[in-house]
Amino acid sequence: MWTSLIPATWSQLRTLGMVFRHAFRKRETVSYPEEAVYLSPRFRGRIVLTRDPDGEERCVACNLCAVACPVDCIALEKGEAEDGRWYPASFRINFSRCIYCGMCEEACPTSAIQLTPDFEMSEYRRQDMVYEKEDLQIDGPGKDHDYHFYKVAGLAIAGKGKGEAQDEKPPRDVRTLLP
Amino acid sequence: MATIQVDGRRYAVDDRDNLLQACLTLGFDLPYFCWHPAMGSVGACRQCAVKQYRDADDTQGALVMACMTPAADGTRISIADDQAREFRANVIEWLMVHHPHDCPVCEEGGHCHLQDMTVMTGHHRRRYRFRKRTHRNQYLGPFIAHEMNRCITCYRCVRFYRDYAGGTDLGAFGAGDNIYFGRHREGVLENAFAGNLTEVCPTGVFTDRPHSERYARKWDLQFAPSVCHQCAVGCNTSPGERYGEIRRIENRYHGEVNRFFLCDRGRFGHGYVNRDDRPRRPEWHAAAGETRVLDVDEALERGGEALRRARRVIGIGSPRASLESNHQLCELVGQDNFSTGIAEREQVCLARMRRLNLDAGLPTPTLREVEAHDAVLVLGEDLIASAARLGLAVRQAVLGRREVLAEARDIPAWNAEAVMTLAQDARHPLFIAYPTTTELDAIAERCLHLAPDDIARLGFAVAHAIDATAPAVGGLDERTRATAERIAEALRSARRPLVIAGGSLESPAILEAAGNVARALATRERRGGLTLVRREANSTGVELLDGRPLEWALDALGQGDADAVVVLENDLHRRLPGERVDRALAAAETVIALDHQRTATWERAHLGLPAASFAEADGTLVSLEGRAQRFYPVYEPRYHRPESRIHPGWRWLLALHAGLQRRTLPDVAFDDLTRDCARRHPVLAGIVAAAPGADERVCGLKLARQPHRYSGRTAMRADLDVSEPSPPRDPDTPFTFSMEGYAGFDRPRREVPFAWAPGWNSPQAWNKFTDEVGGHLRGGDPGARLLEPAAGVAGHVDAIPPPFEAGVGEWRVVVLPRLFGGEETSSRAAPIMARAPAPTLRLAPADARRLAAEAGDTLVIETSLVHLTLPLLVDAALPSGLVGIPAGLAAALSSGAPARLSVVPGDGEAQP
Amino acid sequence: MNGSTEMLVVVLAAMAQALAILAGALLLAAVMTVVERRLLGLWQDRHGPNRVGPWGSLQLVADMIKILFKEDWIPPFADRALFVLAPAIAMASLLLSFMIIPWTPTWGVADWHIGLLFFFAMAGINVYAVLLGGWSSGNKYALLGAMRATAQTLSYEVFMGLSLMGVVALAGSFNLRDIVAAQQGLWFIVPQFFGFCTFLVAGVAVTHRHPFDQPEAEQELADGYHIEYSGMKFGMFYVGEYLGMVLVSALIVTLFFGGWHGPWLPPFVWFALKTAALLVLFVLLRASLPRPRFDRMMSFGWRVCLPLTLINLLVTGAAILWLSPAAD
């Protein structure tokens, strides 16, 4: 014990000195809200529903985001347009439950649901934290500029018939005998 | 039994199985597509490959298809073998080469066998660089949606549709990459079991169209074990609920009743539960036609006051309400004032059927047992229309000859293609006597299109031909006598003859004839069966409560013997002529109606109490087989619609009873009610054992109604209130309204709300719940049978009706049951409405000629009570002198009533 | 009459002086609660409380309002009398100790011969505050904290006393004014360096300041002996801790840094500056040093500090004898 006393004391004093020198360092704290905060593009904040490059809703109401959500704060219902295109007839996120984990975004097969660099969504009433589809839908494609689910998937919709999706041959004529 | 070795471990299996069945029974996860427990193997998909070894020294082995290899004693196989595993992965990859990448917009997603198998084999990326073949879809009617690109050509659909269900309008077209499963041209799939394609198809080619309109993934549905209310067969169903609506009905496996399949009326007929116009709050109908919506307390107060004021209260029960509700009504008004709510002519038949079940000497087979009979006589029933699932079982019985022939040649029964090729058209004998054609005619040995009385005479003649002590039928023509002899001969030589009759034609004579045949067979010590078809879900059960017929109740009201009536879940206007009902109801001081539909009777009631349908109530039904089965509430209506005041009929009646006696409503558990009912009616003693009590637990847990992946709990109701309430409590059942609770497959239990096992999201997961694939639930099949024949056979009945003779200028009405549109509640469901054919009036060609009418002409049918206009359908099979009217059209038209016909003048000119 | 009037003036003046010192000490302790947080912020590269008033200047007011309006709750399982008494002892014993501090050549409440001994006595009484508070709370964490505090304070008071014996010997008096006067030429920190070191350590330990805050140890004891306290009672413990800090700083200045001595500036300013520097050191210790394990701390006290003070005392005694002209 006695032998380590001097180095130990020195170590403590050195620590004191090092900490004291921090008095002359720049402060790490960002004085939000006086100063703006830098949020990276991949920041997981307010959730939006995006549109495909043609300006149509990307969400196809597959429900994968809802089932991936660990706090079960997403609820949506499928609607089907005349041409067979699926869309969410209603889409609700209860942000008072959301933990911004981004699992919904990961689960989304159409890049529709995306988290954005915005966290300023506090409300005085909890009820106002419940966002409906019109609160979530935005007009752009978000982070994914190109993906267009219906151009890839085989489901026929208006303007894209059977056999016109990615890597598809024209529909077969069942009645022909030719191979 | 045989011993096989799987991956080095020895197991005892059934040597009549193939290796795939054996492996699945043992609980191994072996992927497959084309095999189906009800349809055997054809070896089409090549997915269930395993490595088979000759003996212990064989280290090389060879790949075989498990579904095409018998589980012979000493077989050595490996499922985990690398080569077999790679082979299976490759097969999936080939199958997925043309798959259209549309799982997110596919209704099958989440309960898709193809998804399960793809995950099981580990395939996840399309390596094929070339283009996909595509197909155009077809419109297949209001029930089934078609998306041909998802097909993996396993042939299950056509094998089910054509071979199992006897449909003709779905086929496989083309070859190779051209192959196409559909109709020869677009149109409604005609078969009554087309809905099963949604479960039979391992992927999303055939999907549930009504479900798609109000869609929710399987994992998002809340299920409860239920029993189909759309006919008397008692098929087990799993209704799935979301947002307070029944979204879908899935088949719930029952080893003795419906097993894998439901009829389309049962599967798609639930829409009435979701109707917007459904009464959801108590209503007071004032005299001037205004309606006041009441809250529960006020409604009960008014109801109790009215009942206290009344001199005598009549209770009208219902064959579509549960035993408990009917019993509670009986308790409220007293046995002397209780009517079953069934018209007399029908109740007479029901009473006779009950008696025959007891004293005709033959037991009622379960549906599974029906399939084991080898000669069937159907008297006066169109089974596909009146008890469709029974008809499907009869079809399997008739086709059962294939397996007999195959057995003689040592071909295993599961080898479907070989068995079918061997048997060709060989079938067990089926005889049908019915006024017109039925769907089963195609496989019948002889179809007799006779008037109801002649059907009875034929039955009596058959009985006499089997057993000379049975009364003989006088004045029988030679052809009928020969037919009767042939039928008798077939039934005599059968190992297990089956007699089927029922109340569809409302002819007691037919039932007595069937009874005589049964007695004649019973004396011959065969393991025969007698199935008597009832019309409604609980006809059998309500009849056991010994109530009086509906006519008596109406008379009592009309004559002023009673001045108040409580009508339980019954639309009287569908049972007796509307005027008569209206007169009786108008005479009553107080009319209280409990129902879940806005019926004509509800509109005429002073106080309407919104009763729960099968989806929100508990109850017990007795099926035509005499099996008491319990159904459970699927959801709590107030959770999503806080304003609704829907309660089960029995709870309303308990509350009314308490109000009548100025007591506070006692806290009665549902199980107590069932026990009470069983105590009061000794014949129903078995219903207590029909289902586990509310205290049933698995590993100390209640049972979960929701799959563990149920999503959106904290958002579904967030628009109503961001603070979500705790899930509704359910003290009356062993189930919870949440995903908390036991939902697994490895602990045997009788009541399974939904089938799910790790890796098995599709209905194929039922294989995990059965003792062997296609066997019985490991926890026992649900329900308890009540009606077993008493010892000894009663004497023959000698009540042979005279032969039918066509009148001049007068026709006899025969009401023909319809699968779609013929039943009260299901015909309020939109898909059934869309599917139901337009009602027509059927006449024999000779009669049509006599009236100078052609098919399509509009005819007027007139009886003393009714005047109805219908288009004519010339029915070549119908005997002359009869006029066929579809069921569910007018209560005033009952079978046997005389009617006059006339052509609407000018109609022919209107359609040049 | 004349004499008694003069006497009254003297007494009133002395009382006013005492009240001023009392108020000053309390205010300083209260201000320290905020200063400490700002300083910790500074050394941890953040701001600390800066929201209330300009640069957070009104933070103290906010804290006061908050603590005064908190529900003053006594747990039903607590021993009410002792529970209420404990924080009062904590405050009172420390405030009384300020009597003996000679702030300037003229300012000071009591000029006693037993000055230093009075401090030791008050520090001893202060242990009871912690012990009674912990015990009366009826909470196992509180009791554990109190036990630790008692053991720690008792151990460290032993050599705290001994460490000052060198100073006393050099000055030849327990009177603090005499001690300050004795440092006219040379501050005692030079001859009594080891005494200073051990007294500093003991002072930190006796006030339960980091790194010797075992009695409170949030992570282990969830606030230790005052876990059940809330409102102003907690406030008294809380301010008491800072009072102790001020007191120990003032004592160190008096005993080792020459009290008010210093060139050019008035004596009080010197005293205040030195005390402030020591207070800053206290905060710096908190900002830098982690809390040792309890057994390590005890063994450090008994096996390092105590021998060190004894050696220091022996050497001091020997040196005094050696240098004493009266020796021969």
Side-chain angles (χ1 to χ4, degrees), chain B residues 41-42 68 402 406 411-412 414-424:
Chain B
S41 338
V42 288
M68 297 303 285
R402 295 169 171 180
I411 299 174
W414 46 260
N415 197 343
E417 205 57 38
V419 169
M420 213 164 66
T421 312
L422 170 72
Q424 296 296 333

Side-chain angles (χ1 to χ4, degrees), chain B residues 787-811:
Chain B
L787 301 173
E788 297 300 343
V793 179
H796 287 293
V797 172
D798 185 6
I800 304 167
F804 171 73
E805 285 186 35
V808 181
E810 196 179 65
W811 280 263

Side-chain angles (χ1 to χ4, degrees), chain B residues 538-806:
Chain B
N538 205 12
S539 291
T540 321
V542 170
E543 201 278 325
L544 295 174
L545 293 175
D546 290 324
R548 304 190 192 200
L550 179 56
E551 279 89 341
W552 167 85
L554 296 186
D555 288 346
L557 290 170
Q559 291 159 8
D561 294 344
D563 54 354
V565 60
V566 181
V567 185
L568 169 69
E569 299 179 36
N570 202 340
D571 184 6
L572 311 181
H573 293 79
R574 284 185 69 99
R575 298 187 185 271
L576 289 176
E579 284 160 33
R580 185 171 178 191
V581 174
D582 285 345
R583 235 180 303 125
L585 294 184
E589 285 286 311
T590 306
V591 179
I592 300 178
L594 290 83
D595 210 338
H596 47 81
Q597 297 300 310
R598 206 168 278 281
T599 63
T601 305
W602 169 281
E603 299 297 350
R604 278 164 188 75
H606 301 117
L607 177 64
L609 300 174
S613 69
F614 75 90
E616 303 106 7
D618 328 63
T620 308
L621 299 181
V622 184
S623 73
L624 59 83
E625 173 205 330
R627 180 182 291 270
Q629 298 187 100
R630 175 93 177 262
F631 58 94
Y632 296 88
V634 183
Y635 67 102
E636 164 60 49
R638 288 178 78 150
Y639 189 71
H640 285 289
R641 287 197 182 86
E643 74 284 1
S644 81
R645 297 289 180 271
I646 292 173
H647 293 288
W650 50 265
R651 196 175 287 286
W652 281 118
L653 291 166
L654 269 173
L656 277 179
H657 201 168
L660 177 67
Q661 298 176 339
R662 294 182 185 279
R663 287 181 291 127
T664 49
L665 177 60
D667 192 15
V668 178
F670 180 78
D671 287 340
D672 297 339
L673 216 63
T674 309
R675 266 194 291 278
D676 194 35
C677 178
R679 203 165 33 237
R680 203 56 67 87
H681 304 276
V683 64
L684 295 173
I687 62 171
V688 177
D695 51 357
E696 165 101 342
R697 298 287 182 276
V698 175
C699 312
L701 296 170
K702 287 191 101 174
L703 308 175
R705 278 187 174 86
Q706 298 169 356
H708 69 285
R709 291 182 187 133
Y710 194 84
S711 78
R713 274 181 314 161
T714 64
M716 283 169 77
R717 272 183 108 262
D719 54 333
L720 301 178
D721 185 1
V722 72
S723 314
E724 54 267 5
S726 57
R729 281 169 26 80
D730 189 1
D732 285 330
T733 79
F735 299 98
T736 60
F737 287 111
S738 81
M739 69 271 273
E740 285 164 29
Y742 184 75
F745 67 96
D746 45 355
R747 315 254 165 185
R749 57 195 165 122
R750 266 207 293 178
E751 301 291 353
V752 185
F754 60 91
W756 181 86
W760 298 82
N761 299 292
S762 74
Q764 310 290 325
W766 282 108
N767 290 337
K768 294 272 180 191
F769 289 79
T770 50
D771 54 359
E772 54 177 338
V773 286
H776 300 272
L777 290 181
R778 265 184 285 135
D781 289 320
R785 277 169 62 102
L786 303 178
L787 301 173
E788 297 300 343
V793 179
H796 287 293
V797 172
D798 185 6
I800 304 167
F804 171 73
E805 285 186 35

